[in-house]
Amino acid sequence: MNVLLIGNGGREHAIAWKLAQSKELKKLYIAPGNPGTARCGENVPISANDIENLLSFVSEKQIAFVIVGPEDPLAAGAVDAFEKVGIKAFGPSKGAAQLEADKAFAKQLMRSSSVSTAEARVFDRFRDAKAYIASRDEPVVVKAAGLAKGKGVFVCDDPADGILAAEKIMRDKIFGSAGDRVVVEDKLLGEEASILAFVDGRNIYVMESSQDHKPIGDGDTGPNTGGMGAYSPAPVITDAMMSQITREILVPIVDGMNRNGTPYKGVLYAGIMITAAGPRVLEFNVRFGDPETQPILMRLKSDLLSVCLAVCDGTLDQVELVWDRRQAVCVVMVSQGYPGKYEKAKIITGLQEVENMQDVAVFHAGTASKDGKIVTAGGRVLGVTALGATIDQAKQKAYLAVDKIKFEGAYCRRDIADKAIKKP
Ligand code: AMP
Ligand code: GLY
């Protein structure tokens, strides 16, 4: 079958790489894709948010199935638009995508579904948010309610910083209308993990666990980014913890979405804090995580296209996924200055050499082709991912590959997976 994948990040390169291995695939198109996805199929120069032109393209090329990677087109109703013209599409509807696109909606649903999360208040006016934050002497987390590319969350140990964050979001509008509302919540302590599950409206199939590294600096210091690296599995997620998360979080949320009249289908991503009192939800995302998808899909042995189709057909209960028992580590190489301002168009070398390494895959994120060369074109540039018999071996191999890849100002964290390695 002909398939269209929408998006152009590291996540989409990993999805394209995995789809390209499917026996059911005839031709893969990626809109708009990147130089990495160009090697898995044909890139199409249509923006991920240009739903009208994507619809025309789908009918022109007889595409039977569309997979939507990023949250923006999902929140804008891409899946609803394809389904309306009779095309199967993977991902939640616009209504269901609110679970990520509107943090106030997500909090409300968690409350009504008895899912444990941080205590939170929602504010539409800066002065109310300010008064509330000022009245507290504990650390607070201030979040833009709308979509902010993973950067809309400020963890503030000092309430004064919380007020500043609310001001930037609500008054200075650094995230535009995504900051018309803020959610102010208690800071949770513990270790984080990402739990991704396929959901077909009714059935839930939980993937292997993973852990992201959000802050820019080693030891989780500095501002949050889209994600600086990930590994899978996450030892903090024991079998018992995974059952508890499924029972107390995933099942009630999927039920809650049905009760709300917004049934959930696609990938449901729960960002979890494992606190001393048990697992608590930090956020839901309505798509594959980036960079978690890179190590997770490197470990998936089964056909990704078949499971995505089963999600759309409501037959997930007939699916059995097989995972590589080895562990995977993905190190994200970023441009100097990210998550702030950075320069682009730096020539990347060493990719060819890394291609010959076994059990290593380099997933492109912010790259472009220029005069026959691959250059940087974004903040997060590459996700260098490796498999190893142990997490330590996977880490060593990933960094061996990272050190062969060069571009001016290249930066990466040096401690990806250390939390797993240091576990007793
Ligand atoms: P989110 O996009 O909501 O997952 O937030 C991004 C990051 O901010 C998370 O991965 C956590 O590291 C941190 N964070 C969010 N909410 C909280 C919270 N209530 N307590 C502590 N850290 C949080
Ligand atoms: N890795 C975090 C995210 O995908 O939002």
Side-chain angles (χ1 to χ4, degrees):
M1 82 171 34
N2 292 340
V3 176
L4 170 67
L5 169 65
I6 296 175
N8 65 346
R11 161 186 53 216
E12 283 76 24
H13 185 188
I15 295 171
W17 171 82
K18 193 66 200 159
L19 290 174
Q21 299 166 17
S22 172
K23 286 192 197 69
E24 293 188 52
L25 182 76
K26 191 161 139 215
K27 171 127 196 183
L28 176 65
Y29 296 95
I30 311 98
N34 64 37
T37 64
R39 303 184 61 183
C40 313
E42 185 180 327
N43 284 351
V44 186
I46 305 175
S47 149
N49 297 313
D50 185 353
I51 296 176
E52 207 167 304
N53 276 310
L54 290 169
L55 278 169
S56 318
F57 181 79
V58 159
S59 62
E60 190 185 309
K61 298 289 181 186
Q62 290 164 349
I63 285 163
F65 190 41
V66 180
I67 298 178
V68 186
E71 60 275 23
D72 285 326
L74 290 167
V79 165
D80 314 57
F82 289 115
E83 285 179 347
K84 199 166 158 202
V85 296
I87 307 286
K88 233 179 239 186
F90 180 86
S93 65
K94 180 176 179 167
Q98 287 178 92
L99 199 53
E100 173 171 1
D102 182 354
K103 287 187 193 289
F105 170 90
K107 277 286 171 195
Q108 181 57 42
L109 199 85
M110 280 187 262
R111 208 169 284 154
S112 63
S113 308
S114 304
V115 166
S116 298
T117 181
E119 276 306 314
R121 298 272 300 266
V122 178
F123 297 98
D124 291 310
R125 290 192 311 191
F126 170 65
R127 79 177 126 98
D128 297 339
K130 182 179 172 183
Y132 174 69
I133 298 169
S135 73
R136 300 173 45 105
D137 38 37
E138 279 127 51
V140 288
V141 181
V142 182
K143 304 183 172 187
L147 293 176
K149 307 224 173 296
K151 295 170 197 151
V153 173
F154 296 83
V155 180
C156 306
D157 286 324
D158 181 348
D161 293 336
I163 293 173
L164 277 179
E167 187 161 23
K168 278 192 222 157
I169 297 171
M170 303 186 89
R171 283 253 166 99
D172 304 344
K173 293 277 184 240
I174 56 171
F175 305 115
S177 59
D180 288 349
R181 282 184 145 179
V182 293
V183 175
V184 180
E185 65 183 38
D186 292 352
K187 181 181 171 184
L188 297 172
L189 296 177
E191 189 170 342
E192 279 181 58
S194 304
I195 306 299
L196 279 69
F198 292 105
V199 179
D200 69 0
R202 198 166 42 94
N203 302 292
I204 300 171
Y205 198 111
V206 188
M207 293 180 231
E208 291 280 285
S209 63
S210 61
Q211 190 177 66
D212 190 6
H213 297 64
K214 300 284 274 183
I216 185 78
D218 283 13
D220 287 338
T221 51
N224 272 340
T225 67
M228 294 296 292
Y231 62 86
S232 169
V236 66
I237 304 298
T238 56
D239 289 348
M241 181 54 72
M242 191 64 116
S243 313
Q244 192 181 351
I245 290 169
T246 305
R247 200 173 57 241
E248 295 178 3
I249 295 170
L250 300 177
V251 170
I253 278 297
V254 169
D255 286 349
M257 290 297 272
N258 277 321
R259 268 200 316 278
N260 189 56
T262 47
Y264 196 90
K265 116 182 130 56
V267 170
L268 177 60
Y269 164 140
I272 307 279
M273 186 75 89
I274 310 298
T275 72
R280 301 281 181 269
V281 176
L282 293 172
E283 64 166 343
F284 284 112
N285 291 322
V286 296
R287 49 171 174 83
F288 280 105
D290 192 344
E292 293 94 325
T293 301
Q294 290 81 319
I296 289 176
L297 290 188
M298 237 179 128
R299 296 186 56 223
L300 178 64
K301 287 186 161 177
S302 310
D303 185 320
L304 178 63
L305 183 51
S306 310
V307 62
C308 291
L309 285 164
V311 163
C312 290
D313 294 342
T315 54
L316 206 45
D317 51 340
Q318 290 160 38
V319 165
E320 198 51 59
L321 298 181
V322 181
W323 300 93
D324 197 322
R325 292 329 301 166
R326 290 176 296 172
Q327 327 227 339
V329 171
C330 169
V331 178
V332 176
M333 299 180 74
V334 306
S335 298
Q336 187 170 25
Y338 175 80
K341 282 205 181 75
Y342 53 84
E343 291 178 6
K344 294 183 186 173
K346 308 291 182 195
I347 294 169
I348 305 171
T349 59
L351 292 170
Q352 198 68 44
E353 198 185 331
V354 170
E355 208 155 278
N356 299 325
M357 290 176 70
Q358 225 185 340
D359 296 325
V360 173
V362 178
F363 297 113
H364 289 231
T367 68
S369 294
K370 198 175 159 205
D371 307 326
K373 297 200 165 68
I374 305 290
V375 299
T376 65
R380 293 196 290 172
V381 178
L382 299 166
V384 182
T385 314
L387 282 169
T390 63
I391 194 79
D392 205 3
Q393 283 172 20
K395 177 190 170 185
Q396 282 177 30
K397 190 172 268 184
Y399 280 106
L400 200 65
V402 162
D403 289 333
K404 293 181 197 293
I405 299 171
K406 312 267 182 233
F407 55 88
E408 193 191 317
Y411 168 79
C412 67
R413 278 179 63 160
R414 286 278 155 190
D415 64 344
I416 303 302
D418 279 2
K419 278 191 202 132
I421 292 167
K422 287 179 185 146
K423 278 242 151 39

